[in-house]
Amino acid sequence: MNQELIPYLTFENTKDALEYYKRVFGATDIFREAPTVKQAAEMAFNDDVDLESMTMNGHFKIWGKEIWCADSFLGKPVVSSLISLMFKVDLNDSDAVSEMEALYKQAVNSEEVKVIVTFEKKSSGNRYGQIVDKYGVTWIFNAVRND
């Protein structure tokens, strides 16, 4: 069985969120589609709604990992500290650890995230860090020994 678990995030303005993730996390493979007139009618949008500013489906990749997204059509989304996304690599893979650290530093250097735990070596010997982006999503950077 071939299965995937893909994060799906909801934003008030996905168009802006995609630009944020591109700027702060270096997001790639960005895709966004607006609702069609037929979809707008099915969802009972007002006739004066600017469909091109809305996002029915979108996705992007951060560090090669796919994330899907869309606008919240049921009202303003609630920011939650319950959503965390974790990158995990083998601590013995120095290239992967270096790439992870570069992604962490890129986000932190943007000054558009809040550092919760600095990415560094911990007493366990592992390297670990946490940041929270402006949408309330926690990003965990975890380099662990897979011995």
Side-chain angles (χ1 to χ4, degrees), residues 18-72:
L18 290 170
E19 285 301 315
Y20 172 82
Y21 286 112
K22 181 179 179 182
R23 182 177 64 252
V24 175
F25 288 86
T28 61
D29 301 334
I30 296 169
F31 170 80
R32 187 186 77 80
E33 68 179 350
T36 64
V37 172
K38 182 180 178 185
Q39 288 169 325
E42 290 169 354
M43 296 175 76
F45 291 166
N46 293 335
D47 291 338
D48 63 346
V49 170
D50 177 15
L51 295 180
E52 192 50 43
S53 69
M54 301 173 83
T55 303
M56 190 71 174
N57 289 303
H59 56 82
F60 57 98
K61 288 184 178 180
I62 294 179
W63 204 30
K65 302 301 178 194
E66 189 173 26
I67 300 169
W68 283 66
C69 55
D71 283 349
S72 171

Side-chain angles (χ1 to χ4, degrees), residues 16-18 22 25 27 33 35 37 42 54 74 93 100 103 109 120-121 129 132 143-144:
D16 287 349
L18 290 170
K22 181 179 179 182
F25 288 86
E33 68 179 350
V37 172
E42 290 169 354
M54 301 173 83
L74 301 175
D93 183 342
M100 177 183 280
L103 177 58
N109 289 341
E120 61 189 8
K121 187 176 181 180
V132 176
V144 298

Side-chain angles (χ1 to χ4, degrees), residues 88-94 96-97 100 142-147:
K88 179 181 153 195
V89 298
D90 184 341
L91 188 60
N92 297 316
D93 183 342
S94 60
V97 174
M100 177 183 280
N142 197 10
V144 298
R145 284 197 166 73
N146 289 331
D147 301 328

Side-chain angles (χ1 to χ4, degrees), residues 10-11 24 29 45 55 74 78 87 103 111 118 134 140 144:
T10 305
F11 302 101
V24 175
D29 301 334
F45 291 166
T55 303
L74 301 175
V78 177
F87 291 113
L103 177 58
E111 298 182 355
T118 304
K134 81 175 198 173
I140 301 169
V144 298

Side-chain angles (χ1 to χ4, degrees), residues 130-144:
Q130 261 188 32
I131 58 177
V132 176
D133 70 26
K134 81 175 198 173
Y135 297 100
V137 177
T138 299
W139 295 81
I140 301 169
F141 300 81
N142 197 10
V144 298

